[in-house]
Amino acid sequence: MTQDALFQSLYPRLGQWPLKLAAERLEGGEHGDFARWQEAIDSLPAPSPGPSSEPWSVKTGAIFYPLQGTTTDFKALATQLQQLHPWRKGPFALGSLFIDSEWRSDQKWNRLSGALGRLDELSILDIGCGNGYFGWQMLNAGAKEVIGIDPMLLFCMQHLAIQHFFKDPRHHVLPLGVEEIPNSYCFDLVLSMGVLYHRKNAKAHLDKVFALTRPGGRAVVETLIVEGERSLTPPGRYARMRNVWEVPCIPDLYRALALSGFQAVELIDVSTTTPAEQRSTPWMHFDSLEQALDAQDPGRTIEGHPAPRRAIMMASRPS
Ligand SMILES: C[S@@+](CC[C@H](N)C(=O)[O-])C[C@H]1O[C@@H](n2cnc3c(N)ncnc32)[C@H](O)[C@@H]1O
């Protein structure tokens, strides 16, 4: 399928204008590293799956493609894929090459997937999808189609590198911010994971998630949270991140989701993020969670805030 034909198939869900914008961004004119990324993707080896009948699968949390090759081939492949560093979400495995991303995203998936259940025939929007790791998990759980959006072009390029092998027409990762998507009321399931606290106007973000969910559909909102009854508005950085505007407490999250119109709001999980889940690796060699925590008191960030804890909420849009 050409990019044009592929995008045409998405018009009904995303609208023509955002897709035009995504196509322009995927041509890369605006990004200084684009030519290097594109060259890395263009020089990837031809997909050569092993004898397995499945084109790709999920193996112990990694999104796996049965690529065949020699040790030398895999060394060269690793060098090409390292051009797309940092790999934040994963893991992925291409034959014997294990892309050990910063996040063991399978751990979040394990906390969420039981509550989601089977996703047969669902059309899903994943807001802030990164390179699309969760999209593969959702397709594996039966989804009909997953559209991921993320303004970071690098993550879309990582998805294209994976799609070079997988060639799965049910999954797209587009370089768009959620605010660029017109309200379409047509996704059966909308995910917003790790995005809420990055939005200056959290209420507007939840309203948008609601507007993108079809009547009778479901939404998942996963976010950093603080314990207790008061949301935290960090005066400066939070865990070294500059763009954390508000970390909600759980009662405020319930209220905000209800105010946006959601019903049947449920708390699925609350977990502390540990360096077993988020850490530096050879595929993400910048600092990670460990360097953001107080070395004397890992219950605090280096700014003195409560250490990262995350909640997963699920809610429905009334029919
Ligand atoms: C903390 S990461 C979470 C990634 C993934 N959803 C997860 O749960 O692991 C937040 C992601 O949201 C993306 N993001 C930031 N602003 C966004 C926006 N306005 N619209 C959509 N995605 C956004 C970032 O680029 C980043 O990839």
Side-chain angles (χ1 to χ4, degrees), residues 88-89 103 105 108 126-131 134 149-152 155 176-180 192-195 197-199 205 222 241 243 310:
R88 297 215 179 256
K89 308 298 165 182
W103 283 84
S105 306
K108 191 186 285 189
D126 185 359
I127 300 168
C129 63
N131 61 22
F134 294 105
I149 53 168
D150 200 297
M152 291 289 284
F155 301 152
L176 294 168
V178 62
E179 61 285 358
E180 294 173 324
S192 161
M193 302 205 295
V195 180
Y197 47 88
H198 288 315
R199 303 297 292 151
H205 180 70
E222 190 261 4
M241 292 180 279
N243 55 351
R310 313 180 84 91

PDB file of all heavy atoms in Angstrom, residues 88-89 103 105 108 126-131 134 149-152 155 176-180 192-195 197-199 205 222 241 243 310, ligand 1:
ATOM      1  N   ARG A  88      13.075   4.213  23.841  1.00  0.00           N
ATOM      2  CA  ARG A  88      12.502   4.359  25.198  1.00  0.00           C
ATOM      3  C   ARG A  88      11.493   3.255  25.517  1.00  0.00           C
ATOM      4  O   ARG A  88      11.390   2.839  26.668  1.00  0.00           O
ATOM      5  CB  ARG A  88      11.853   5.730  25.339  1.00  0.00           C
ATOM      6  CG  ARG A  88      12.883   6.860  25.207  1.00  0.00           C
ATOM      7  CD  ARG A  88      12.578   8.030  26.093  1.00  0.00           C
ATOM      8  NE  ARG A  88      13.568   9.073  25.962  1.00  0.00           N
ATOM      9  CZ  ARG A  88      14.526   9.316  26.851  1.00  0.00           C
ATOM     10  NH1 ARG A  88      14.625   8.595  27.955  1.00  0.00           N
ATOM     11  NH2 ARG A  88      15.381  10.301  26.665  1.00  0.00           N
ATOM     12  N   LYS A  89      10.711   2.831  24.526  1.00  0.00           N
ATOM     13  CA  LYS A  89       9.661   1.840  24.801  1.00  0.00           C
ATOM     14  C   LYS A  89       9.975   0.526  24.116  1.00  0.00           C
ATOM     15  O   LYS A  89      10.462   0.494  22.987  1.00  0.00           O
ATOM     16  CB  LYS A  89       8.295   2.352  24.319  1.00  0.00           C
ATOM     17  CG  LYS A  89       7.937   3.734  24.816  1.00  0.00           C
ATOM     18  CD  LYS A  89       7.823   3.856  26.322  1.00  0.00           C
ATOM     19  CE  LYS A  89       7.822   5.313  26.734  1.00  0.00           C
ATOM     20  NZ  LYS A  89       7.763   5.523  28.159  1.00  0.00           N
ATOM     21  N   TRP A 103      12.371   1.481  28.984  1.00  0.00           N
ATOM     22  CA  TRP A 103      11.220   0.981  29.748  1.00  0.00           C
ATOM     23  C   TRP A 103      10.968  -0.476  29.429  1.00  0.00           C
ATOM     24  O   TRP A 103      10.958  -0.852  28.259  1.00  0.00           O
ATOM     25  CB  TRP A 103       9.954   1.771  29.390  1.00  0.00           C
ATOM     26  CG  TRP A 103       9.895   3.114  30.016  1.00  0.00           C
ATOM     27  CD1 TRP A 103      10.469   4.254  29.549  1.00  0.00           C
ATOM     28  CD2 TRP A 103       9.213   3.475  31.227  1.00  0.00           C
ATOM     29  NE1 TRP A 103      10.192   5.300  30.396  1.00  0.00           N
ATOM     30  CE2 TRP A 103       9.418   4.859  31.422  1.00  0.00           C
ATOM     31  CE3 TRP A 103       8.439   2.772  32.157  1.00  0.00           C
ATOM     32  CZ2 TRP A 103       8.889   5.540  32.519  1.00  0.00           C
ATOM     33  CZ3 TRP A 103       7.913   3.449  33.242  1.00  0.00           C
ATOM     34  CH2 TRP A 103       8.144   4.815  33.417  1.00  0.00           C
ATOM     35  N   SER A 105       8.217  -1.953  28.974  1.00  0.00           N
ATOM     36  CA  SER A 105       6.814  -1.572  28.810  1.00  0.00           C
ATOM     37  C   SER A 105       5.884  -2.770  29.015  1.00  0.00           C
ATOM     38  O   SER A 105       4.682  -2.597  29.247  1.00  0.00           O
ATOM     39  CB  SER A 105       6.589  -0.972  27.419  1.00  0.00           C
ATOM     40  OG  SER A 105       7.486   0.084  27.187  1.00  0.00           O
ATOM     41  N   LYS A 108       4.023  -2.514  32.302  1.00  0.00           N
ATOM     42  CA  LYS A 108       2.792  -1.704  32.305  1.00  0.00           C
ATOM     43  C   LYS A 108       1.664  -2.479  31.614  1.00  0.00           C
ATOM     44  O   LYS A 108       0.524  -2.489  32.067  1.00  0.00           O
ATOM     45  CB  LYS A 108       3.020  -0.365  31.599  1.00  0.00           C
ATOM     46  CG  LYS A 108       1.890   0.631  31.793  1.00  0.00           C
ATOM     47  CD  LYS A 108       2.069   1.904  30.978  1.00  0.00           C
ATOM     48  CE  LYS A 108       3.107   2.835  31.525  1.00  0.00           C
ATOM     49  NZ  LYS A 108       3.110   4.160  30.838  1.00  0.00           N
ATOM     50  N   ASP A 126      -4.111   5.372  20.332  1.00  0.00           N
ATOM     51  CA  ASP A 126      -3.146   5.423  21.436  1.00  0.00           C
ATOM     52  C   ASP A 126      -2.462   6.793  21.389  1.00  0.00           C
ATOM     53  O   ASP A 126      -1.606   7.046  20.541  1.00  0.00           O
ATOM     54  CB  ASP A 126      -2.130   4.279  21.285  1.00  0.00           C
ATOM     55  CG  ASP A 126      -1.168   4.202  22.475  1.00  0.00           C
ATOM     56  OD1 ASP A 126      -1.279   5.024  23.395  1.00  0.00           O
ATOM     57  OD2 ASP A 126      -0.297   3.303  22.466  1.00  0.00           O
ATOM     58  N   ILE A 127      -2.853   7.664  22.317  1.00  0.00           N
ATOM     59  CA  ILE A 127      -2.323   9.048  22.355  1.00  0.00           C
ATOM     60  C   ILE A 127      -0.978   9.028  23.090  1.00  0.00           C
ATOM     61  O   ILE A 127      -0.898   8.544  24.220  1.00  0.00           O
ATOM     62  CB  ILE A 127      -3.318   9.967  23.107  1.00  0.00           C
ATOM     63  CG1 ILE A 127      -4.680   9.988  22.407  1.00  0.00           C
ATOM     64  CG2 ILE A 127      -2.745  11.370  23.253  1.00  0.00           C
ATOM     65  CD1 ILE A 127      -5.782  10.637  23.242  1.00  0.00           C
ATOM     66  N   GLY A 128       0.046   9.560  22.459  1.00  0.00           N
ATOM     67  CA  GLY A 128       1.377   9.557  23.091  1.00  0.00           C
ATOM     68  C   GLY A 128       1.933   8.150  23.107  1.00  0.00           C
ATOM     69  O   GLY A 128       2.414   7.655  24.121  1.00  0.00           O
ATOM     70  N   CYS A 129       1.872   7.515  21.943  1.00  0.00           N
ATOM     71  CA  CYS A 129       2.142   6.067  21.837  1.00  0.00           C
ATOM     72  C   CYS A 129       3.624   5.735  21.836  1.00  0.00           C
ATOM     73  O   CYS A 129       3.985   4.558  21.824  1.00  0.00           O
ATOM     74  CB  CYS A 129       1.513   5.522  20.566  1.00  0.00           C
ATOM     75  SG  CYS A 129       2.252   6.263  19.086  1.00  0.00           S
ATOM     76  N   GLY A 130       4.516   6.755  21.813  1.00  0.00           N
ATOM     77  CA  GLY A 130       5.938   6.441  21.650  1.00  0.00           C
ATOM     78  C   GLY A 130       6.130   5.725  20.321  1.00  0.00           C
ATOM     79  O   GLY A 130       5.528   6.093  19.313  1.00  0.00           O
ATOM     80  N   ASN A 131       6.923   4.653  20.342  1.00  0.00           N
ATOM     81  CA  ASN A 131       7.171   3.948  19.071  1.00  0.00           C
ATOM     82  C   ASN A 131       6.110   2.914  18.731  1.00  0.00           C
ATOM     83  O   ASN A 131       6.251   2.188  17.742  1.00  0.00           O
ATOM     84  CB  ASN A 131       8.575   3.317  19.071  1.00  0.00           C
ATOM     85  CG  ASN A 131       8.733   2.285  20.189  1.00  0.00           C
ATOM     86  OD1 ASN A 131       7.763   1.748  20.699  1.00  0.00           O
ATOM     87  ND2 ASN A 131       9.976   2.016  20.568  1.00  0.00           N
ATOM     88  N   PHE A 134       2.730  -0.523  22.652  1.00  0.00           N
ATOM     89  CA  PHE A 134       1.449  -1.042  23.166  1.00  0.00           C
ATOM     90  C   PHE A 134       0.498  -1.416  22.026  1.00  0.00           C
ATOM     91  O   PHE A 134      -0.363  -2.263  22.185  1.00  0.00           O
ATOM     92  CB  PHE A 134       0.798  -0.037  24.127  1.00  0.00           C
ATOM     93  CG  PHE A 134       1.596   0.157  25.378  1.00  0.00           C
ATOM     94  CD1 PHE A 134       2.354   1.298  25.574  1.00  0.00           C
ATOM     95  CD2 PHE A 134       1.616  -0.822  26.360  1.00  0.00           C
ATOM     96  CE1 PHE A 134       3.121   1.465  26.718  1.00  0.00           C
ATOM     97  CE2 PHE A 134       2.384  -0.673  27.519  1.00  0.00           C
ATOM     98  CZ  PHE A 134       3.146   0.482  27.694  1.00  0.00           C
ATOM     99  N   ILE A 149      -0.483   8.100  17.972  1.00  0.00           N
ATOM    100  CA  ILE A 149      -0.008   9.441  17.601  1.00  0.00           C
ATOM    101  C   ILE A 149       1.019   9.885  18.631  1.00  0.00           C
ATOM    102  O   ILE A 149       0.866   9.634  19.838  1.00  0.00           O
ATOM    103  CB  ILE A 149      -1.163  10.475  17.503  1.00  0.00           C
ATOM    104  CG1 ILE A 149      -1.995  10.495  18.788  1.00  0.00           C
ATOM    105  CG2 ILE A 149      -2.054  10.186  16.301  1.00  0.00           C
ATOM    106  CD1 ILE A 149      -2.946  11.676  18.864  1.00  0.00           C
ATOM    107  N   ASP A 150       2.070  10.494  18.143  1.00  0.00           N
ATOM    108  CA  ASP A 150       3.107  11.015  19.036  1.00  0.00           C
ATOM    109  C   ASP A 150       3.866  12.100  18.280  1.00  0.00           C
ATOM    110  O   ASP A 150       4.329  11.858  17.154  1.00  0.00           O
ATOM    111  CB  ASP A 150       4.078   9.893  19.458  1.00  0.00           C
ATOM    112  CG  ASP A 150       4.831  10.274  20.727  1.00  0.00           C
ATOM    113  OD1 ASP A 150       5.593  11.280  20.683  1.00  0.00           O
ATOM    114  OD2 ASP A 150       4.632   9.615  21.754  1.00  0.00           O
ATOM    115  N   PRO A 151       3.987  13.285  18.872  1.00  0.00           N
ATOM    116  CA  PRO A 151       4.651  14.378  18.137  1.00  0.00           C
ATOM    117  C   PRO A 151       6.144  14.163  17.929  1.00  0.00           C
ATOM    118  O   PRO A 151       6.758  14.865  17.132  1.00  0.00           O
ATOM    119  CB  PRO A 151       4.398  15.617  19.018  1.00  0.00           C
ATOM    120  CG  PRO A 151       3.949  15.109  20.339  1.00  0.00           C
ATOM    121  CD  PRO A 151       3.426  13.725  20.156  1.00  0.00           C
ATOM    122  N   MET A 152       6.752  13.201  18.627  1.00  0.00           N
ATOM    123  CA  MET A 152       8.206  12.981  18.482  1.00  0.00           C
ATOM    124  C   MET A 152       8.474  12.154  17.227  1.00  0.00           C
ATOM    125  O   MET A 152       8.219  10.936  17.199  1.00  0.00           O
ATOM    126  CB  MET A 152       8.754  12.239  19.701  1.00  0.00           C
ATOM    127  CG  MET A 152       8.747  13.053  20.966  1.00  0.00           C
ATOM    128  SD  MET A 152       9.961  14.383  20.968  1.00  0.00           S
ATOM    129  CE  MET A 152      11.439  13.437  21.269  1.00  0.00           C
ATOM    130  N   PHE A 155      10.232   8.695  17.312  1.00  0.00           N
ATOM    131  CA  PHE A 155       9.498   7.495  17.705  1.00  0.00           C
ATOM    132  C   PHE A 155       8.721   6.930  16.505  1.00  0.00           C
ATOM    133  O   PHE A 155       8.569   5.713  16.366  1.00  0.00           O
ATOM    134  CB  PHE A 155       8.558   7.781  18.885  1.00  0.00           C
ATOM    135  CG  PHE A 155       9.282   8.301  20.110  1.00  0.00           C
ATOM    136  CD1 PHE A 155       8.646   9.134  21.019  1.00  0.00           C
ATOM    137  CD2 PHE A 155      10.607   7.961  20.356  1.00  0.00           C
ATOM    138  CE1 PHE A 155       9.307   9.609  22.146  1.00  0.00           C
ATOM    139  CE2 PHE A 155      11.283   8.437  21.476  1.00  0.00           C
ATOM    140  CZ  PHE A 155      10.630   9.262  22.377  1.00  0.00           C
ATOM    141  N   LEU A 176       1.810  13.263  15.253  1.00  0.00           N
ATOM    142  CA  LEU A 176       0.767  14.255  15.522  1.00  0.00           C
ATOM    143  C   LEU A 176       0.575  14.398  17.027  1.00  0.00           C
ATOM    144  O   LEU A 176       0.688  13.420  17.772  1.00  0.00           O
ATOM    145  CB  LEU A 176      -0.559  13.797  14.907  1.00  0.00           C
ATOM    146  CG  LEU A 176      -0.612  13.727  13.376  1.00  0.00           C
ATOM    147  CD1 LEU A 176      -1.868  12.976  12.927  1.00  0.00           C
ATOM    148  CD2 LEU A 176      -0.575  15.121  12.764  1.00  0.00           C
ATOM    149  N   GLY A 177       0.256  15.606  17.453  1.00  0.00           N
ATOM    150  CA  GLY A 177      -0.147  15.825  18.840  1.00  0.00           C
ATOM    151  C   GLY A 177      -1.655  15.620  18.935  1.00  0.00           C
ATOM    152  O   GLY A 177      -2.379  15.813  17.952  1.00  0.00           O
ATOM    153  N   VAL A 178      -2.114  15.269  20.121  1.00  0.00           N
ATOM    154  CA  VAL A 178      -3.553  14.980  20.278  1.00  0.00           C
ATOM    155  C   VAL A 178      -4.403  16.204  19.934  1.00  0.00           C
ATOM    156  O   VAL A 178      -5.510  16.083  19.411  1.00  0.00           O
ATOM    157  CB  VAL A 178      -3.855  14.447  21.700  1.00  0.00           C
ATOM    158  CG1 VAL A 178      -3.524  15.466  22.782  1.00  0.00           C
ATOM    159  CG2 VAL A 178      -5.291  13.983  21.810  1.00  0.00           C
ATOM    160  N   GLU A 179      -3.842  17.382  20.189  1.00  0.00           N
ATOM    161  CA  GLU A 179      -4.601  18.602  19.927  1.00  0.00           C
ATOM    162  C   GLU A 179      -4.806  18.824  18.428  1.00  0.00           C
ATOM    163  O   GLU A 179      -5.616  19.646  18.016  1.00  0.00           O
ATOM    164  CB  GLU A 179      -3.895  19.807  20.572  1.00  0.00           C
ATOM    165  CG  GLU A 179      -2.482  20.111  20.094  1.00  0.00           C
ATOM    166  CD  GLU A 179      -1.396  19.144  20.620  1.00  0.00           C
ATOM    167  OE1 GLU A 179      -1.714  18.238  21.409  1.00  0.00           O
ATOM    168  OE2 GLU A 179      -0.235  19.305  20.201  1.00  0.00           O
ATOM    169  N   GLU A 180      -4.090  18.065  17.607  1.00  0.00           N
ATOM    170  CA  GLU A 180      -4.229  18.214  16.154  1.00  0.00           C
ATOM    171  C   GLU A 180      -5.276  17.267  15.559  1.00  0.00           C
ATOM    172  O   GLU A 180      -5.527  17.293  14.361  1.00  0.00           O
ATOM    173  CB  GLU A 180      -2.866  17.974  15.479  1.00  0.00           C
ATOM    174  CG  GLU A 180      -1.872  19.056  15.856  1.00  0.00           C
ATOM    175  CD  GLU A 180      -0.457  18.782  15.364  1.00  0.00           C
ATOM    176  OE1 GLU A 180      -0.035  17.608  15.358  1.00  0.00           O
ATOM    177  OE2 GLU A 180       0.222  19.747  15.002  1.00  0.00           O
ATOM    178  N   SER A 192      -4.608   7.097  26.832  1.00  0.00           N
ATOM    179  CA  SER A 192      -3.725   8.230  27.085  1.00  0.00           C
ATOM    180  C   SER A 192      -2.835   7.786  28.235  1.00  0.00           C
ATOM    181  O   SER A 192      -3.247   7.817  29.404  1.00  0.00           O
ATOM    182  CB  SER A 192      -4.542   9.462  27.469  1.00  0.00           C
ATOM    183  OG  SER A 192      -3.692  10.391  28.132  1.00  0.00           O
ATOM    184  N   MET A 193      -1.651   7.317  27.911  1.00  0.00           N
ATOM    185  CA  MET A 193      -0.784   6.781  28.969  1.00  0.00           C
ATOM    186  C   MET A 193       0.488   7.626  29.032  1.00  0.00           C
ATOM    187  O   MET A 193       1.197   7.795  28.033  1.00  0.00           O
ATOM    188  CB  MET A 193      -0.466   5.315  28.695  1.00  0.00           C
ATOM    189  CG  MET A 193      -1.748   4.472  28.586  1.00  0.00           C
ATOM    190  SD  MET A 193      -1.539   2.727  28.969  1.00  0.00           S
ATOM    191  CE  MET A 193      -0.461   2.192  27.675  1.00  0.00           C
ATOM    192  N   GLY A 194       0.738   8.168  30.209  1.00  0.00           N
ATOM    193  CA  GLY A 194       1.951   8.973  30.399  1.00  0.00           C
ATOM    194  C   GLY A 194       1.883  10.332  29.730  1.00  0.00           C
ATOM    195  O   GLY A 194       2.921  10.930  29.453  1.00  0.00           O
ATOM    196  N   VAL A 195       0.690  10.828  29.483  1.00  0.00           N
ATOM    197  CA  VAL A 195       0.556  12.107  28.755  1.00  0.00           C
ATOM    198  C   VAL A 195      -0.053  13.203  29.638  1.00  0.00           C
ATOM    199  O   VAL A 195       0.356  14.367  29.554  1.00  0.00           O
ATOM    200  CB  VAL A 195      -0.313  11.916  27.477  1.00  0.00           C
ATOM    201  CG1 VAL A 195      -0.465  13.226  26.722  1.00  0.00           C
ATOM    202  CG2 VAL A 195       0.289  10.859  26.556  1.00  0.00           C
ATOM    203  N   TYR A 197       0.078  14.452  32.642  1.00  0.00           N
ATOM    204  CA  TYR A 197       0.883  15.401  33.429  1.00  0.00           C
ATOM    205  C   TYR A 197       1.793  16.264  32.550  1.00  0.00           C
ATOM    206  O   TYR A 197       2.383  17.223  33.018  1.00  0.00           O
ATOM    207  CB  TYR A 197       1.709  14.650  34.489  1.00  0.00           C
ATOM    208  CG  TYR A 197       2.427  13.435  33.955  1.00  0.00           C
ATOM    209  CD1 TYR A 197       3.695  13.523  33.406  1.00  0.00           C
ATOM    210  CD2 TYR A 197       1.806  12.182  33.994  1.00  0.00           C
ATOM    211  CE1 TYR A 197       4.346  12.412  32.902  1.00  0.00           C
ATOM    212  CE2 TYR A 197       2.445  11.059  33.489  1.00  0.00           C
ATOM    213  CZ  TYR A 197       3.707  11.190  32.940  1.00  0.00           C
ATOM    214  OH  TYR A 197       4.343  10.084  32.429  1.00  0.00           O
ATOM    215  N   HIS A 198       1.916  15.876  31.267  1.00  0.00           N
ATOM    216  CA  HIS A 198       2.688  16.709  30.335  1.00  0.00           C
ATOM    217  C   HIS A 198       1.823  17.789  29.684  1.00  0.00           C
ATOM    218  O   HIS A 198       2.338  18.622  28.948  1.00  0.00           O
ATOM    219  CB  HIS A 198       3.284  15.858  29.207  1.00  0.00           C
ATOM    220  CG  HIS A 198       4.413  14.971  29.640  1.00  0.00           C
ATOM    221  ND1 HIS A 198       5.435  15.404  30.459  1.00  0.00           N
ATOM    222  CD2 HIS A 198       4.706  13.679  29.344  1.00  0.00           C
ATOM    223  CE1 HIS A 198       6.291  14.403  30.650  1.00  0.00           C
ATOM    224  NE2 HIS A 198       5.861  13.359  29.989  1.00  0.00           N
ATOM    225  N   ARG A 199       0.508  17.738  29.916  1.00  0.00           N
ATOM    226  CA  ARG A 199      -0.391  18.705  29.290  1.00  0.00           C
ATOM    227  C   ARG A 199      -0.635  19.846  30.267  1.00  0.00           C
ATOM    228  O   ARG A 199      -0.973  19.609  31.431  1.00  0.00           O
ATOM    229  CB  ARG A 199      -1.738  18.043  28.915  1.00  0.00           C
ATOM    230  CG  ARG A 199      -1.618  16.852  28.005  1.00  0.00           C
ATOM    231  CD  ARG A 199      -1.024  17.181  26.646  1.00  0.00           C
ATOM    232  NE  ARG A 199      -1.890  18.013  25.834  1.00  0.00           N
ATOM    233  CZ  ARG A 199      -1.454  18.867  24.906  1.00  0.00           C
ATOM    234  NH1 ARG A 199      -0.163  19.033  24.710  1.00  0.00           N
ATOM    235  NH2 ARG A 199      -2.294  19.589  24.209  1.00  0.00           N
ATOM    236  N   HIS A 205      -7.320  18.117  28.249  1.00  0.00           N
ATOM    237  CA  HIS A 205      -6.842  16.829  27.710  1.00  0.00           C
ATOM    238  C   HIS A 205      -7.886  15.733  27.932  1.00  0.00           C
ATOM    239  O   HIS A 205      -8.197  14.960  27.017  1.00  0.00           O
ATOM    240  CB  HIS A 205      -5.510  16.446  28.359  1.00  0.00           C
ATOM    241  CG  HIS A 205      -4.975  15.142  27.844  1.00  0.00           C
ATOM    242  ND1 HIS A 205      -4.486  14.995  26.562  1.00  0.00           N
ATOM    243  CD2 HIS A 205      -4.888  13.904  28.407  1.00  0.00           C
ATOM    244  CE1 HIS A 205      -4.117  13.750  26.363  1.00  0.00           C
ATOM    245  NE2 HIS A 205      -4.353  13.061  27.476  1.00  0.00           N
ATOM    246  N   GLU A 222      -3.581   6.657  32.011  1.00  0.00           N
ATOM    247  CA  GLU A 222      -2.509   6.239  32.919  1.00  0.00           C
ATOM    248  C   GLU A 222      -1.657   7.460  33.184  1.00  0.00           C
ATOM    249  O   GLU A 222      -1.340   8.231  32.269  1.00  0.00           O
ATOM    250  CB  GLU A 222      -1.688   5.132  32.251  1.00  0.00           C
ATOM    251  CG  GLU A 222      -0.699   4.449  33.179  1.00  0.00           C
ATOM    252  CD  GLU A 222       0.716   4.961  33.063  1.00  0.00           C
ATOM    253  OE1 GLU A 222       0.969   5.927  32.298  1.00  0.00           O
ATOM    254  OE2 GLU A 222       1.591   4.434  33.752  1.00  0.00           O
ATOM    255  N   MET A 241      12.278  16.041  35.066  1.00  0.00           N
ATOM    256  CA  MET A 241      11.509  16.404  33.861  1.00  0.00           C
ATOM    257  C   MET A 241      11.034  17.846  33.996  1.00  0.00           C
ATOM    258  O   MET A 241      10.474  18.233  35.017  1.00  0.00           O
ATOM    259  CB  MET A 241      10.311  15.476  33.678  1.00  0.00           C
ATOM    260  CG  MET A 241      10.680  14.058  33.323  1.00  0.00           C
ATOM    261  SD  MET A 241       9.224  13.025  33.108  1.00  0.00           S
ATOM    262  CE  MET A 241       8.794  12.598  34.792  1.00  0.00           C
ATOM    263  N   ASN A 243       8.779  19.251  31.957  1.00  0.00           N
ATOM    264  CA  ASN A 243       7.425  19.487  31.441  1.00  0.00           C
ATOM    265  C   ASN A 243       6.357  18.702  32.207  1.00  0.00           C
ATOM    266  O   ASN A 243       5.457  18.137  31.616  1.00  0.00           O
ATOM    267  CB  ASN A 243       7.382  19.141  29.941  1.00  0.00           C
ATOM    268  CG  ASN A 243       7.863  17.719  29.679  1.00  0.00           C
ATOM    269  OD1 ASN A 243       8.370  17.063  30.584  1.00  0.00           O
ATOM    270  ND2 ASN A 243       7.692  17.239  28.464  1.00  0.00           N
ATOM    271  N   ARG A 310       2.414   5.529  39.698  1.00  0.00           N
ATOM    272  CA  ARG A 310       1.540   5.681  38.534  1.00  0.00           C
ATOM    273  C   ARG A 310       0.237   4.941  38.779  1.00  0.00           C
ATOM    274  O   ARG A 310       0.225   3.885  39.424  1.00  0.00           O
ATOM    275  CB  ARG A 310       2.217   5.141  37.276  1.00  0.00           C
ATOM    276  CG  ARG A 310       3.645   5.608  37.091  1.00  0.00           C
ATOM    277  CD  ARG A 310       4.273   5.066  35.838  1.00  0.00           C
ATOM    278  NE  ARG A 310       3.930   5.888  34.697  1.00  0.00           N
ATOM    279  CZ  ARG A 310       4.657   6.916  34.277  1.00  0.00           C
ATOM    280  NH1 ARG A 310       5.765   7.254  34.905  1.00  0.00           N
ATOM    281  NH2 ARG A 310       4.279   7.616  33.245  1.00  0.00           N
TER     282      ARG A 310
HETATM  283  C1  LIG B   1       5.858   9.357  29.171  1.00  0.00           C
HETATM  284  S1  LIG B   1       5.686   9.016  27.472  1.00  0.00           S
HETATM  285  C2  LIG B   1       4.511   7.703  27.522  1.00  0.00           C
HETATM  286  C3  LIG B   1       4.611   6.771  26.357  1.00  0.00           C
HETATM  287  C4  LIG B   1       3.666   5.573  26.403  1.00  0.00           C
HETATM  288  N1  LIG B   1       2.296   5.997  26.192  1.00  0.00           N
HETATM  289  C5  LIG B   1       3.789   4.848  27.698  1.00  0.00           C
HETATM  290  O1  LIG B   1       2.824   4.842  28.458  1.00  0.00           O
HETATM  291  O2  LIG B   1       4.836   4.259  27.970  1.00  0.00           O
HETATM  292  C6  LIG B   1       4.706  10.375  26.882  1.00  0.00           C
HETATM  293  C7  LIG B   1       4.590  10.420  25.392  1.00  0.00           C
HETATM  294  O3  LIG B   1       3.603  11.394  25.062  1.00  0.00           O
HETATM  295  C8  LIG B   1       4.060  12.096  23.945  1.00  0.00           C
HETATM  296  N2  LIG B   1       3.359  13.395  23.897  1.00  0.00           N
HETATM  297  C9  LIG B   1       3.732  14.561  24.465  1.00  0.00           C
HETATM  298  N3  LIG B   1       2.860  15.538  24.163  1.00  0.00           N
HETATM  299  C10 LIG B   1       1.900  14.963  23.376  1.00  0.00           C
HETATM  300  C11 LIG B   1       0.748  15.459  22.710  1.00  0.00           C
HETATM  301  N4  LIG B   1       0.422  16.745  22.770  1.00  0.00           N
HETATM  302  N5  LIG B   1       0.005  14.599  21.980  1.00  0.00           N
HETATM  303  C12 LIG B   1       0.347  13.290  21.897  1.00  0.00           C
HETATM  304  N6  LIG B   1       1.437  12.782  22.503  1.00  0.00           N
HETATM  305  C13 LIG B   1       2.207  13.602  23.227  1.00  0.00           C
HETATM  306  C14 LIG B   1       5.555  12.202  24.144  1.00  0.00           C
HETATM  307  O4  LIG B   1       6.250  12.501  22.946  1.00  0.00           O
HETATM  308  C15 LIG B   1       5.873  10.846  24.702  1.00  0.00           C
HETATM  309  O5  LIG B   1       6.219   9.907  23.719  1.00  0.00           O
END
